[in-house]
Structure formats: C-alpha cells, structure tokens
Amino acid sequence: MDTNCGPLVKTQPKMQYGENEMLGLRKGPWTVDEDTILLNYITTHGEGHWNSLARSAGLRRSGKSCRLRWLNYLRPDVRRGNITLQEQILILDLHSRWGNRWSKIAQHLPGRTDNEIKNYWRTRVIKQAKQLRCDVNSKEFRDTLRYVWMPRLLERIQPASQILQPQMKLDPGPTEIQGFHGLDSVTEWSKGSHPAGSYSDSSSVELQVHSNSEHSDCSGSGLDPWEEGNGGGEWLESLWNELEIKYSSLP
DNA sequence: AAATCCGCCAACCGCAAGACT
DNA sequence: TAGTCTTGCGGTTGGCGGATT
C-alpha cells in the first residue's frame, strides 16, 4: 500500500469554527491519527454510511469529510504524482466531450480522483486559456486544444512518424479557428510570455506546445509515461490505439 | 536575508438526486 | 406521498511551499 499519505499535520491544525464545530466536529487537514483510525475502521467494516461510520470510528469529523478523505487520499488504489502525458491527452479529449463532468472523466483514469483532475484542469488548462485571453469554453479554445495541443502531446509521447499521418504533424487545424493563428500564436506565447522556470512540472501542457520540432527531452526526468508504474498498462494501450485511430483520421 | 508573489492541491461548501422511512 | 437522510458532484477557498524580487 502507498504509504505516502500527503501533507499530514503532526500537531493539531488550527480549528476553524462553524456549524461543524458547534457539533464538536473538526475541520481542516487530517492528522496521522485520524487517517489511521479511518483506514483501520474501513478495512474492518467497509465503507459507506459515512455519518454513522464517523461516529462509530470515534472520529470527530463529518461523514462528508470522512468520505472525501477516503476517496481522495486513503483508498489503496489512488494514484498520486504527476499527470502523465497520456492522462493529459485523455483529460483533454474527455473534457471536450463531456465538459466539467469530473467524476465521469475520472472513471476513465484509473486511480485518479475527480478532485485531482479538476485541479489539473483549473491550474493548467484554464491558466493557458487566460494567457491566451480567451474563454475556456469557447470554440476557439476547444479547437486549439484539439488541433494544436493534443496532436503535440501525441507527438511528444511517440515520434510523429510512428503514429500520425503526415498531414497531422504540422496541421495547424482548421482555418476557422478565429482569434488564433494556428501554431504561431501558441508557439510565440509559449516562447516568451512567462518567465523561464516558472513551471517545474515538465509534463505540463504548455511545455507541449513549443515549436514544431522541439520535443522536450523527458529522458531521465522520471516522467516517462511508459515507465512501469508511471502510467502504463493495458487500459492505456487500448486508449492509445483509440487515439491513434481518431487522430489519424482527422481532417 | 527578508518580503512578496504565485502555483498547487487538500479540503470545504452548497446543491441536487436518490434512497429510505 | 412527503419528509428526512445519505451520497455524489462541481465550484471554491485557504494554506503551504517554492520562486522571484
């Protein structure tokens, strides 16, 4: 089991007061002791009926809080760490279909929680939209995701010659992407609109949109998505096959 | 070295839908 | 059928820590 249980506090966190506290319930970061109690209780009795679970386990937490802690952190199958390139593509693709249906999207990324995906979207993708001064829900931005970012991500994972039709490699997308100038604007923006070193995560989207032939070298970064335990697996292979088919048939 | 800024993410809140009585 | 409880979801917030000034 993953023993990395996040930024647990060793001392009692500062209490915030509200309705829960009126009932003697704690809020804020979970302590190691609380995690242990919750984990042991669920291991023995199973999950569900969170309010009574919280009481029975002796936790001064709301059922809601217990459920969230379990689902987002303590569950043994929760995957933590960087979102891989494949996962980024999948998130972009699924979001284009379903919008902010985070839990639905999370179902297709084993081990990832809706919260994590939502955080990824808000901190990475929406940030890009803001820098491009466009609405994240606009057709222009969606097209940019589809015709620029996703092919770039695909290209980065495997050499373009192996997976993409020749026209896809440099295809800036349909000319009706108004307000965007194909790859140019994205490339220009990615070159100099923010200070170098602002982003420590080498798998973040913006690094995928550097100029055409510049593939950031991930080797040795520990972020190789095909490394064992870092995003591989059958589900990913099938996803990959699906995306290959999908993007090789794009206009 | 200190102050400030900023990105990230855990955790909270409110609401809605479904289950139960 | 109506009321209450539980669960799940999406949006938002606050704190931590690293980067920058």
Side-chain angles (χ1 to χ4, degrees):
Chain A
M1 182 198 150
D2 186 0
T3 55
N4 174 18
C5 286
L8 293 168
V9 291
K10 293 189 175 114
T11 55
Q12 292 290 320
K14 200 165 31 175
M15 287 284 284
Q16 302 167 43
Y17 291 92
E19 189 179 345
N20 283 344
E21 286 65 37
M22 304 274 282
L23 300 170
L25 299 179
R26 278 174 38 73
K27 287 188 352 184
W30 281 64
T31 64
V32 176
D33 284 348
E34 287 177 315
D35 273 353
T36 304
I37 291 170
L38 180 59
L39 193 55
N40 287 341
Y41 191 90
I42 291 177
T43 301
T44 306
H45 300 92
E47 57 183 292
H49 301 95
W50 294 102
N51 284 332
S52 58
L53 181 153
R55 283 192 298 272
S56 302
L59 286 164
R60 289 170 55 204
R61 292 275 182 174
S62 68
K64 239 179 176 182
S65 180
C66 292
R67 175 183 165 271
L68 207 63
R69 185 64 181 172
W70 170 253
L71 292 177
N72 287 347
Y73 226 96
L74 295 176
R75 260 188 323 160
D77 60 334
V78 168
R79 284 185 65 213
R80 313 201 64 77
N82 292 329
I83 304 282
T84 65
L85 297 175
Q86 280 88 353
E87 287 173 322
Q88 290 182 48
I89 294 173
L90 191 51
I91 291 168
L92 296 179
D93 184 50
L94 296 179
H95 188 276
S96 72
R97 298 189 217 177
W98 300 328
N100 296 358
R101 302 287 305 278
W102 306 119
S103 62
K104 192 171 180 180
I105 292 171
Q107 288 169 9
H108 291 75
L109 286 98
R112 297 295 185 185
T113 66
D114 56 347
N115 209 33
E116 200 170 8
I117 294 167
K118 182 169 54 183
N119 282 332
Y120 166 76
W121 185 266
R122 295 189 64 81
T123 58
R124 307 285 176 75
V125 181
I126 289 184
K127 184 181 73 180
Q128 310 303 340
K130 280 183 181 171
Q131 292 192 358
L132 290 168
R133 291 190 176 82
C134 69
D135 179 4
V136 74
N137 296 314
S138 66
K139 182 179 185 303
E140 289 77 15
F141 188 70
R142 288 202 307 271
D143 283 345
T144 302
L145 289 182
R146 182 183 174 201
Y147 294 110
V148 181
W149 293 8
M150 292 175 69
R152 288 290 174 80
L153 282 166
L154 286 165
E155 201 173 331
R156 230 190 112 188
I157 295 166
Q158 288 191 356
S161 58
Q162 290 181 23
I163 59 168
L164 298 171
Q165 298 297 324
Q167 74 269 21
M168 270 302 295
K169 284 193 285 183
L170 301 175
D171 185 0
T175 53
E176 68 267 23
I177 303 182
Q178 293 171 3
F180 291 87
H181 308 288
L183 297 181
D184 292 345
S185 64
V186 177
T187 302
E188 279 307 308
W189 147 78
S190 69
K191 276 179 184 168
S193 63
H194 49 69
S198 291
Y199 309 102
S200 56
D201 179 1
S202 65
S203 65
S204 66
V205 167
E206 70 227 272
L207 292 180
Q208 329 308 325
V209 295
H210 271 291
S211 58
N212 288 349
S213 57
E214 286 178 8
H215 294 175
S216 301
D217 184 9
C218 278
S219 60
S221 70
L223 295 174
D224 183 349
W226 295 105
E227 277 179 15
E228 193 174 357
N230 196 18
E234 284 181 21
W235 70 274
L236 217 44
E237 286 185 24
S238 61
L239 159 70
W240 191 245
N241 291 334
E242 182 188 331
L243 288 171
E244 264 191 57
I245 294 165
K246 179 174 178 177
Y247 286 99
S248 63
S249 62
L250 282 178

Coordinates of all heavy atoms in Angstrom, one line a residue, chain A residues 195-240:
Chain A
P195 N 8.0 33.8 -17.5 CA 9.5 33.6 -17.2 C 9.9 32.2 -17.2 O 9.1 31.3 -16.8 CB 9.6 34.2 -15.8 CG 8.2 34.1 -15.2 CD 7.3 34.3 -16.4
A196 N 11.0 31.9 -17.7 CA 11.5 30.6 -17.8 C 11.6 30.0 -16.3 O 12.0 30.8 -15.4 CB 12.9 30.5 -18.4
G197 N 11.3 28.8 -16.2 CA 11.4 28.2 -14.9 C 10.2 28.4 -14.0 O 10.2 28.0 -12.9
S198 N 9.2 29.0 -14.6 CA 8.0 29.2 -13.8 C 7.3 27.9 -13.4 O 6.7 27.9 -12.4 CB 7.0 30.1 -14.5 OG 7.5 31.4 -14.7
Y199 N 7.5 27.0 -14.3 CA 6.8 25.7 -14.1 C 7.7 24.6 -14.0 O 8.6 24.3 -14.8 CB 5.9 25.5 -15.3 CG 5.0 26.7 -15.6 CD1 5.4 27.6 -16.6 CD2 4.0 27.1 -14.7 CE1 4.6 28.7 -16.8 CE2 3.3 28.2 -15.0 CZ 3.6 29.0 -16.0 OH 2.9 30.1 -16.2
S200 N 7.6 23.9 -12.9 CA 8.5 22.9 -12.6 C 8.1 21.5 -13.1 O 8.9 20.6 -13.3 CB 8.7 22.7 -11.1 OG 7.5 22.5 -10.5
D201 N 6.8 21.4 -13.5 CA 6.3 20.1 -14.0 C 6.6 20.0 -15.4 O 5.9 20.7 -16.2 CB 4.8 20.0 -13.6 CG 4.3 18.7 -14.1 OD1 5.0 17.9 -14.7 OD2 3.1 18.6 -14.0
S202 N 7.5 19.2 -15.8 CA 7.9 19.1 -17.2 C 6.8 18.5 -18.1 O 6.9 18.5 -19.3 CB 9.1 18.3 -17.4 OG 8.9 16.9 -17.0
S203 N 5.8 18.0 -17.5 CA 4.7 17.3 -18.3 C 3.5 18.3 -18.4 O 2.5 17.9 -19.0 CB 4.2 16.1 -17.6 OG 3.6 16.3 -16.4
S204 N 3.6 19.5 -18.0 CA 2.5 20.4 -18.1 C 2.3 20.8 -19.5 O 3.1 20.7 -20.4 CB 2.8 21.7 -17.3 OG 3.8 22.4 -17.8
V205 N 1.0 21.1 -19.8 CA 0.6 21.3 -21.2 C 1.4 22.3 -21.9 O 1.8 22.1 -23.1 CB -0.9 21.7 -21.2 CG1 -1.3 22.2 -22.6 CG2 -1.8 20.5 -20.8
E206 N 1.8 23.4 -21.3 CA 2.4 24.5 -22.0 C 3.7 24.0 -22.6 O 4.2 24.5 -23.6 CB 2.6 25.7 -21.2 CG 3.6 25.5 -20.1 CD 3.1 26.1 -18.8 OE1 3.3 27.3 -18.6 OE2 2.4 25.3 -18.1
L207 N 4.3 23.1 -22.0 CA 5.6 22.6 -22.5 C 5.4 21.8 -23.7 O 6.3 21.5 -24.5 CB 6.4 21.9 -21.4 CG 6.9 22.7 -20.3 CD1 7.6 21.9 -19.3 CD2 7.7 23.9 -20.8
Q208 N 4.2 21.3 -23.9 CA 3.9 20.5 -25.1 C 3.8 21.3 -26.3 O 3.8 20.8 -27.4 CB 2.7 19.7 -24.9 CG 2.3 19.3 -23.5 CD 3.4 18.6 -22.8 OE1 4.2 17.8 -23.5 NE2 3.6 18.7 -21.6
V209 N 3.6 22.6 -26.2 CA 3.3 23.4 -27.4 C 4.4 24.3 -27.9 O 4.3 25.2 -28.6 CB 2.1 24.3 -27.1 CG1 0.8 23.4 -26.9 CG2 2.3 25.2 -26.0
H210 N 5.6 23.9 -27.5 CA 6.8 24.5 -28.1 C 6.9 24.2 -29.6 O 6.2 23.4 -30.1 CB 8.1 24.1 -27.4 CG 8.4 25.0 -26.2 ND1 8.8 26.3 -26.3 CD2 8.3 24.7 -24.8 CE1 9.0 26.8 -25.1 NE2 8.7 25.8 -24.2
S211 N 7.7 25.0 -30.2 CA 7.7 24.9 -31.7 C 7.9 23.5 -32.2 O 8.4 22.6 -31.5 CB 8.9 25.8 -32.2 OG 10.1 25.3 -31.7
N212 N 7.4 23.4 -33.4 CA 7.2 22.1 -34.0 C 8.1 21.0 -33.7 O 7.7 19.9 -33.2 CB 7.1 22.2 -35.5 CG 5.9 22.9 -36.0 OD1 5.0 23.1 -35.1 ND2 5.8 23.3 -37.2
S213 N 9.4 21.1 -34.0 CA 10.3 20.0 -33.9 C 11.0 19.9 -32.6 O 11.7 19.0 -32.3 CB 11.3 20.1 -35.0 OG 12.0 21.3 -34.9
E214 N 10.7 20.8 -31.7 CA 11.3 20.8 -30.4 C 10.5 19.9 -29.5 O 9.5 20.2 -28.9 CB 11.4 22.2 -29.8 CG 12.4 23.1 -30.4 CD 12.4 24.4 -29.8 OE1 11.7 24.6 -28.8 OE2 13.0 25.3 -30.3
H215 N 11.1 18.7 -29.3 CA 10.4 17.8 -28.4 C 11.2 17.9 -27.1 O 12.4 17.6 -27.0 CB 10.5 16.4 -28.9 CG 9.6 16.2 -30.1 ND1 9.5 15.1 -30.8 CD2 8.8 17.1 -30.7 CE1 8.7 15.2 -31.8 NE2 8.3 16.4 -31.8
S216 N 10.6 18.3 -26.0 CA 11.3 18.4 -24.8 C 11.8 17.0 -24.4 O 11.1 16.0 -24.6 CB 10.3 18.9 -23.7 OG 9.9 20.2 -24.0
D217 N 13.0 16.9 -23.9 CA 13.6 15.6 -23.6 C 13.1 15.2 -22.2 O 13.5 15.8 -21.2 CB 15.1 15.8 -23.7 CG 15.7 14.4 -23.4 OD1 15.0 13.4 -23.4 OD2 16.9 14.4 -23.3
C218 N 12.3 14.2 -22.2 CA 11.9 13.7 -20.9 C 12.8 12.7 -20.3 O 12.6 12.2 -19.2 CB 10.5 13.1 -21.0 SG 9.2 14.3 -21.0
S219 N 13.7 12.2 -21.1 CA 14.5 11.1 -20.6 C 15.3 11.5 -19.3 O 15.8 12.6 -19.3 CB 15.5 10.7 -21.6 OG 16.4 11.7 -22.0
G220 N 15.2 10.6 -18.4 CA 15.9 10.9 -17.1 C 15.1 11.8 -16.2 O 15.5 12.1 -15.1
S221 N 13.9 12.2 -16.7 CA 13.1 13.1 -15.8 C 12.3 12.3 -14.8 O 11.8 12.9 -13.9 CB 12.2 14.0 -16.7 OG 11.2 13.1 -17.2
G222 N 12.2 11.0 -15.1 CA 11.4 10.2 -14.2 C 9.9 10.3 -14.6 O 9.1 9.8 -13.9
L223 N 9.7 11.0 -15.7 CA 8.3 11.2 -16.1 C 7.9 10.4 -17.3 O 6.8 10.6 -17.8 CB 8.0 12.7 -16.3 CG 8.2 13.6 -15.1 CD1 8.1 15.0 -15.5 CD2 7.2 13.2 -14.0
D224 N 8.8 9.5 -17.7 CA 8.4 8.7 -18.9 C 7.1 8.0 -18.6 O 7.0 7.1 -17.7 CB 9.5 7.7 -19.1 CG 9.3 6.9 -20.4 OD1 8.1 7.0 -20.9 OD2 10.2 6.2 -20.9
P225 N 6.1 8.3 -19.4 CA 4.8 7.7 -19.1 C 4.7 6.2 -19.3 O 3.8 5.6 -18.8 CB 3.9 8.5 -20.0 CG 4.7 8.9 -21.1 CD 6.1 9.2 -20.5
W226 N 5.7 5.7 -20.0 CA 5.7 4.3 -20.3 C 6.5 3.5 -19.3 O 6.5 2.3 -19.3 CB 6.2 4.0 -21.7 CG 5.3 4.6 -22.7 CD1 5.5 5.7 -23.4 CD2 3.9 4.1 -23.1 NE1 4.4 6.0 -24.2 CE2 3.4 5.0 -24.0 CE3 3.1 3.1 -22.6 CZ2 2.2 4.9 -24.6 CZ3 1.9 3.0 -23.2 CH2 1.4 3.9 -24.1
E227 N 7.1 4.2 -18.4 CA 7.8 3.5 -17.3 C 6.8 2.7 -16.5 O 5.7 3.2 -16.3 CB 8.5 4.5 -16.4 CG 9.8 4.9 -16.9 CD 10.5 5.9 -16.0 OE1 10.0 6.0 -14.8 OE2 11.4 6.6 -16.4
E228 N 7.2 1.6 -16.0 CA 6.3 0.8 -15.2 C 5.9 1.5 -14.0 O 6.7 2.2 -13.4 CB 7.0 -0.5 -14.8 CG 6.1 -1.5 -14.2 CD 6.8 -2.8 -13.9 OE1 8.0 -2.9 -14.2 OE2 6.2 -3.7 -13.4
G229 N 4.6 1.5 -13.7 CA 4.1 2.2 -12.5 C 4.0 3.6 -12.7 O 3.7 4.4 -11.8
N230 N 4.1 4.1 -13.9 CA 4.0 5.5 -14.2 C 3.1 5.8 -15.3 O 3.3 6.7 -16.1 CB 5.4 6.1 -14.5 CG 5.3 7.6 -14.3 OD1 4.4 8.2 -13.7 ND2 6.3 8.3 -14.9
G231 N 2.0 5.0 -15.4 CA 1.0 5.3 -16.4 C 0.8 4.3 -17.5 O 0.0 4.4 -18.3
G232 N 1.6 3.2 -17.5 CA 1.4 2.2 -18.5 C 0.2 1.3 -18.2 O -0.6 1.6 -17.3
G233 N 0.1 0.2 -18.9 CA -1.0 -0.7 -18.6 C -1.8 -0.9 -19.8 O -1.8 -0.2 -20.7
E234 N -2.7 -2.0 -19.7 CA -3.5 -2.3 -20.8 C -4.5 -1.3 -21.2 O -4.7 -1.0 -22.4 CB -4.2 -3.6 -20.5 CG -3.3 -4.8 -20.7 CD -4.1 -6.1 -20.4 OE1 -5.3 -6.1 -20.5 OE2 -3.5 -7.1 -20.0
W235 N -5.1 -0.7 -20.2 CA -6.1 0.3 -20.5 C -5.5 1.5 -21.3 O -6.1 2.1 -22.1 CB -6.7 0.9 -19.2 CG -5.8 1.7 -18.4 CD1 -4.8 1.3 -17.5 CD2 -5.6 3.1 -18.4 NE1 -4.2 2.3 -17.0 CE2 -4.6 3.5 -17.5 CE3 -6.3 4.1 -19.1 CZ2 -4.2 4.8 -17.3 CZ3 -5.9 5.5 -18.9 CH2 -4.9 5.8 -18.0
L236 N -4.2 1.8 -21.0 CA -3.6 2.9 -21.7 C -3.3 2.5 -23.1 O -3.4 3.3 -24.0 CB -2.3 3.2 -20.9 CG -1.9 4.7 -20.8 CD1 -3.1 5.5 -20.5 CD2 -0.8 4.9 -19.8
E237 N -2.9 1.2 -23.3 CA -2.6 0.8 -24.6 C -3.9 0.8 -25.5 O -3.8 1.3 -26.6 CB -2.1 -0.7 -24.6 CG -0.6 -0.7 -24.1 CD -0.1 -2.1 -24.2 OE1 -0.6 -2.9 -25.0 OE2 0.8 -2.4 -23.4
S238 N -5.0 0.4 -24.9 CA -6.2 0.5 -25.7 C -6.6 1.9 -26.0 O -7.1 2.2 -27.1 CB -7.3 -0.3 -25.0 OG -7.6 0.3 -23.7
L239 N -6.4 2.8 -25.0 CA -6.7 4.2 -25.2 C -5.8 4.7 -26.3 O -6.3 5.4 -27.2 CB -6.4 5.0 -23.9 CG -6.2 6.5 -24.2 CD1 -7.5 7.1 -24.6 CD2 -5.6 7.1 -22.9
W240 N -4.6 4.3 -26.3 CA -3.6 4.7 -27.3 C -4.1 4.3 -28.6 O -4.0 5.1 -29.6 CB -2.3 4.2 -26.9 CG -1.2 4.8 -27.7 CD1 -0.4 4.3 -28.7 CD2 -0.9 6.2 -27.7 NE1 0.4 5.2 -29.2 CE2 0.2 6.4 -28.7 CE3 -1.3 7.3 -27.0 CZ2 0.7 7.6 -28.9 CZ3 -0.7 8.5 -27.2 CH2 0.3 8.7 -28.1

